[in-house]
Amino acid sequence: MFKRILFDATHETFRLQAAAFLETDVVPYHDAWSLAQSVPRKIWFAAGKQGPLCRTIPQQYGGQGRDFRDSVVVIEELARRRLPGFLAFLQSDIVAPYVLRFGNKTQRDQILPGFCSGTLIGAIALTAQRKTSAGSVLDFQNTQFRLADLFSDCATNRSFVDGCIVAHLNGPLDPRTACIAKLRTTELLKTIAVCKLQLSGAAGFCDQAGVQATQDLIDSSVQSIWGGSTEIMRDIIGRSLVNIL
């Protein structure tokens, strides 16, 4: 789709290998793994044996000593197949590099070979309210400004929609005004759903909160589609303005 000069022939050869591995060993089982919320250990062993794991780790620890473009290939092929349940890049490009860079010799010798072979699985821990040395995210001025903007937009929309209701009661509501009301309110609803998830941090997508966040995003997105999509609303509004200019 895009012309790229980032990769050489060795990367493209590896891409074919990574794609074949995913198609054979991951894609047929991924949905079942997602439902079970568990990935079998054997897939990590297979990934270690066939090469997608820890490509940038030096050979002395069991890696390939390759550059980050190999990691990019794996990430792209995972994304191409929408395989969020197999987080090979988490181990290869976050956890393992941490140990390589910050671990002592004993830690590197004991941990990195296992990461590369798949016999060890790395993980990271995320904090859940998002506390920092300066307080929580809600204490940041930027966050407060964002909340102020969203609340102001909600207040403006509320007033506008109330005016539309009064206009509808007193006579036909003109199409342009109705479209403006739907456009502004439904797009803002999606923005709020995303903002809530972002500001909640890890707590926003873990356990039941994650289920609720997913439902919020779906529900808010539906509003800008049915009853006339956002694109249709903008088209109607725009067409009504052409003769004014």
Side-chain angles (χ1 to χ4, degrees), residues 66-138:
R66 297 279 295 172
D67 64 46
F68 184 65
R69 287 175 292 179
D70 273 26
S71 293
V72 174
V73 167
V74 175
I75 292 169
E76 288 183 348
E77 294 306 309
L78 285 167
R80 191 189 308 277
R81 293 162 180 81
R82 300 193 69 175
L83 302 172
F86 181 51
L87 299 181
F89 58 87
L90 177 66
Q91 175 139 325
S92 299
D93 306 308
I94 299 179
V95 183
Y98 277 163
V99 176
L100 178 64
R101 183 173 179 181
F102 299 111
N104 57 42
K105 183 179 186 304
T106 299
Q107 291 170 328
R108 292 195 296 268
D109 290 341
Q110 291 180 346
I111 297 175
L112 290 177
F115 280 173
C116 293
S117 66
T119 56
L120 291 179
I121 301 176
I124 59 175
L126 300 175
T127 56
Q129 297 83 287
R130 301 196 75 185
K131 292 288 185 179
T132 70
S133 59
S136 73
V137 172
L138 292 177

Side-chain angles (χ1 to χ4, degrees), residues 17-174:
Q17 297 171 351
F21 168 74
L22 294 176
E23 288 291 342
T24 301
D25 293 78
V26 179
V27 171
Y29 315 105
H30 183 267
D31 289 347
W33 296 346
S34 296
L35 288 175
Q37 297 185 351
S38 176
V39 177
R41 291 296 298 267
K42 66 179 182 180
I43 193 62
W44 292 96
F45 302 153
K49 184 177 181 180
Q50 298 188 42
L53 282 182
C54 302
R55 300 282 297 183
T56 64
I57 299 300
Q59 293 181 347
Q60 70 188 86
Y61 299 115
Q64 301 294 320
R66 297 279 295 172
D67 64 46
F68 184 65
R69 287 175 292 179
D70 273 26
S71 293
V72 174
V73 167
V74 175
I75 292 169
E76 288 183 348
E77 294 306 309
L78 285 167
R80 191 189 308 277
R81 293 162 180 81
R82 300 193 69 175
L83 302 172
F86 181 51
L87 299 181
F89 58 87
L90 177 66
Q91 175 139 325
S92 299
D93 306 308
I94 299 179
V95 183
Y98 277 163
V99 176
L100 178 64
R101 183 173 179 181
F102 299 111
N104 57 42
K105 183 179 186 304
T106 299
Q107 291 170 328
R108 292 195 296 268
D109 290 341
Q110 291 180 346
I111 297 175
L112 290 177
F115 280 173
C116 293
S117 66
T119 56
L120 291 179
I121 301 176
I124 59 175
L126 300 175
T127 56
Q129 297 83 287
R130 301 196 75 185
K131 292 288 185 179
T132 70
S133 59
S136 73
V137 172
L138 292 177
D139 294 319
F140 294 169
Q141 188 178 61
N142 179 71
T143 302
Q144 295 171 11
F145 283 176
R146 183 61 173 144
L147 293 176
D149 288 340
L150 292 174
F151 184 81
S152 299
D153 287 340
C154 286
T156 302
N157 284 352
R158 178 73 278 167
S159 179
F160 187 81
V161 170
D162 283 353
C164 290
I165 295 172
V166 172
H168 176 68
L169 291 173
N170 293 332
L173 180 64
D174 67 278

